[in-house]
Amino acid sequence: MSLRSGSHARAATKRAGEWLRDHQNAIRWLQWIIVVAYVLLLIVPVLAPMPTRLSHIWSDAVLFAQFAFWGIWWPFVLVSMVLVGRSWCGLFCPEGALAEAVSRHSLARAIPRWMKWKGWPFVAFACTTIYGQMVSVYQYPKPVIIVLGGSTLAAVTVGFLYGRDKRVWCRYLCPVNGVFALLSKLAPLHYRVDKANWVAWRRVPGGPTPFVNCAPLVPIRTMQGGSACHMCGRCAGFKQAVALEIRSPSHEIVNVAGDEPKPWETFLIVFGLMGLAAGAFQWASSPLYVTARQHIAEWLVEHAGTALIEPRLPWWILTNYPDQNDMMTPLDGALMIAYVLAIACLTTMAVGTALAFATRALGAFQAAPLHHLAQCLIPMAGCGVFLGLSMTTVTLLRREGLSLGFVDAVRACLLLGSALWCLWLAWKVSARYSRSIGRRLVAMVGIAAAVLFGAGNWWLLFWVW
Ligand code: SF4
């Protein structure tokens, strides 16, 4: 990019941020339209009959909502995090918009300390992922009401109790907050705070004191990265120090993410995204799961009766749709959870060992470089979850008769691209901890192994099973 076109791009980006700031009413209207669409997508499929073999996405409410939520909405919201940061949260998310609207009339109670626990993003993601598999949330509309509708109800309740015009739910408890915070670190756009301008700024004598309502409670003055920012644009131009800017997609991981070790983020990347999510998408196709289930079922019939191999539990605990011939027994459910947790633990051990090796290769073992190197795995972790979610997209489109023969090639390219991105990030990060090229190269062996372990889960699912 030439100097001139670079400065034009910078100016246009800055103006885009200010445009958002100046059109907050239009954004609110857009949010209400999305809220209406969201509520319709939640409720109408529950009232509609289940699709038959002859039903189509465009003519059947259940299939349409399934495709909208799981085929388009969720996979591409993840993609949007990497492209434009958390703009989804700040500009479009119906849950955040509702929570914020309610928070304007809140009881204004103090936010309890337990709510600020840093482990919630991990715990909420893990529980939602496993529960989603138990009730087959990607297949049936009633579980969608519980998972998505329940989350929205909780967001509104938290907003009403503690809101004070803020998005308390989004900040502390939203089940995808942690994932979005990680992926948005890769975005080439962010609101940058110029500290010198902030300090130098003086109010015009007699002029109004500027105020900005940052709904997700970001401490704007000290904000360095984009992972907590919802990109709403309200602070654009604040004290002539905040501006929407273009940055290198590697910038935040390399230069910001290592300043403060975040063990919960490491846990979410390795155990949650690379392990648990992979296991959740994998179990139904896994020959290990099928074989274990068969052996245990045979043993139970011989020794303990049939209670655990009969689908007795209601649909909101375990999938139970006799008319669709789709039922999970307590054995299925317990084995599924065991399988998903086992994959998560094995992945964590393998990736954790590789990360520890890379950290040690850079010098004395310390937590800070380990957590920083773990951040370099975000492209692989995010890519895997996108591929897992987009399986529904592919399944539904194939059901409509599209052959999609290119899908395997696209999956391979995405995995390869994200693996190379991880390695590039790790190479840059390693320079912060060692000047020795030899040490950095040895560390890269560990990172390459971690990336391979992560990719291996998806390779098994897409190409082996
Ligand atoms: S820091 Fe807060 S106010 Fe500024 S863009 Fe981000 S979310 Fe909006």
Side-chain angles (χ1 to χ4, degrees), residues 191 212-216 218 220 223 228-236 242:
Y191 282 88
V212 59
N213 174 28
C214 176
V218 180
I220 302 172
M223 177 170 73
C229 166
H230 284 198
M231 305 286 280
C232 68
R234 291 178 203 170
C235 63
V242 187

Side-chain angles (χ1 to χ4, degrees), residues 2 112 169 187 198 201 212 218 245 251 262 277 307 334 337 373 396 418 432:
S2 74
W169 171 264
W198 187 294
W201 182 85
V212 59
V218 180
E245 285 195 359
H251 172 83
K262 292 184 173 155
I337 294 171
L373 287 171
L396 287 172
S418 60
R432 286 182 50 138

Side-chain angles (χ1 to χ4, degrees), residues 74-250:
W74 280 108
F76 291 97
V77 163
L78 286 191
V79 173
S80 79
M81 295 295 145
V82 179
L83 297 177
V84 287
R86 299 182 66 166
S87 300
W88 165 261
C89 303
L91 306 178
F92 307 110
C93 176
E95 191 164 296
L98 278 170
E100 191 177 344
V102 169
S103 77
R104 290 188 200 110
H105 313 282
S106 79
L107 299 181
R109 293 191 185 160
I111 300 171
R113 266 180 59 188
W114 63 263
M115 204 178 276
K116 298 179 181 176
W117 181 52
K118 289 189 166 51
W120 284 126
F122 168 77
V123 172
F125 172 79
C127 291
T128 312
T129 302
I130 290 179
Y131 181 68
Q133 293 299 311
M134 289 168 64
V135 294
S136 298
V137 71
Y138 302 134
Q139 277 85 41
Y140 298 104
K142 285 192 288 189
V144 177
I145 286 267
I146 294 188
V147 174
L148 297 185
S151 171
T152 304
L153 188 64
V156 167
T157 307
V158 168
F160 179 68
L161 292 175
Y162 311 106
R164 298 179 196 229
D165 215 1
K166 299 284 185 268
R167 295 185 175 200
V168 177
W169 171 264
C170 309
R171 176 79 165 91
Y172 297 112
L173 297 177
C174 170
V176 281
N177 178 32
V179 181
F180 288 177
L182 292 175
L183 293 181
S184 59
K185 294 185 188 193
L186 302 169
L189 284 173
H190 74 145
Y191 282 88
R192 190 175 81 83
V193 182
D194 186 319
K195 282 193 186 139
N197 279 8
W198 187 294
V199 172
W201 182 85
R202 294 286 174 272
R203 185 160 61 98
V204 179
T209 306
F211 170 76
V212 59
N213 174 28
C214 176
L217 297 149
V218 180
I220 302 172
R221 180 179 178 157
T222 54
M223 177 170 73
Q224 287 193 22
S227 67
C229 166
H230 284 198
M231 305 286 280
C232 68
R234 291 178 203 170
C235 63
F238 189 65
K239 296 192 174 183
Q240 295 175 347
V242 187
L244 183 62
E245 285 195 359
I246 300 172
R247 63 179 180 176
S248 155
S250 305

Side-chain angles (χ1 to χ4, degrees), residues 159-352:
F160 179 68
L161 292 175
Y162 311 106
R164 298 179 196 229
D165 215 1
K166 299 284 185 268
R167 295 185 175 200
V168 177
W169 171 264
C170 309
R171 176 79 165 91
Y172 297 112
L173 297 177
C174 170
V176 281
N177 178 32
V179 181
F180 288 177
L182 292 175
L183 293 181
S184 59
K185 294 185 188 193
L186 302 169
L189 284 173
H190 74 145
Y191 282 88
R192 190 175 81 83
V193 182
D194 186 319
K195 282 193 186 139
N197 279 8
W198 187 294
V199 172
W201 182 85
R202 294 286 174 272
R203 185 160 61 98
V204 179
T209 306
F211 170 76
V212 59
N213 174 28
C214 176
L217 297 149
V218 180
I220 302 172
R221 180 179 178 157
T222 54
M223 177 170 73
Q224 287 193 22
S227 67
C229 166
H230 284 198
M231 305 286 280
C232 68
R234 291 178 203 170
C235 63
F238 189 65
K239 296 192 174 183
Q240 295 175 347
V242 187
L244 183 62
E245 285 195 359
I246 300 172
R247 63 179 180 176
S248 155
S250 305
H251 172 83
E252 187 162 343
I253 301 281
V254 174
N255 301 305
V256 180
D259 291 350
E260 186 190 334
K262 292 184 173 155
W264 279 112
E265 287 198 350
T266 302
F267 218 47
L268 182 58
I269 295 166
V270 180
F271 188 95
L273 298 177
M274 296 175 85
L276 198 85
F281 287 112
Q282 208 182 62
W283 67 273
S285 320
S286 167
L288 295 172
Y289 172 84
V290 175
T291 310
R293 181 184 179 280
Q294 193 178 335
H295 286 309
I296 296 172
E298 283 169 6
W299 187 91
L300 283 173
V301 170
E302 281 175 24
H303 298 89
T306 57
L308 293 177
I309 52 174
E310 286 174 4
R312 291 159 179 266
L313 295 169
W315 62 267
W316 44 272
I317 297 180
L318 271 183
T319 306
N320 196 346
Y321 300 90
D323 48 338
Q324 302 292 313
N325 207 13
D326 188 4
M327 294 160 283
M328 282 177 91
T329 65
L331 172 65
D332 294 333
L335 257 185
M336 179 274 287
I337 294 171
Y339 181 91
V340 171
L341 291 176
I343 293 293
C345 290
L346 287 173
T347 305
T348 304
M349 281 193 283
V351 174

Side-chain angles (χ1 to χ4, degrees), residues 196 407 462:
V407 163
F462 293 129

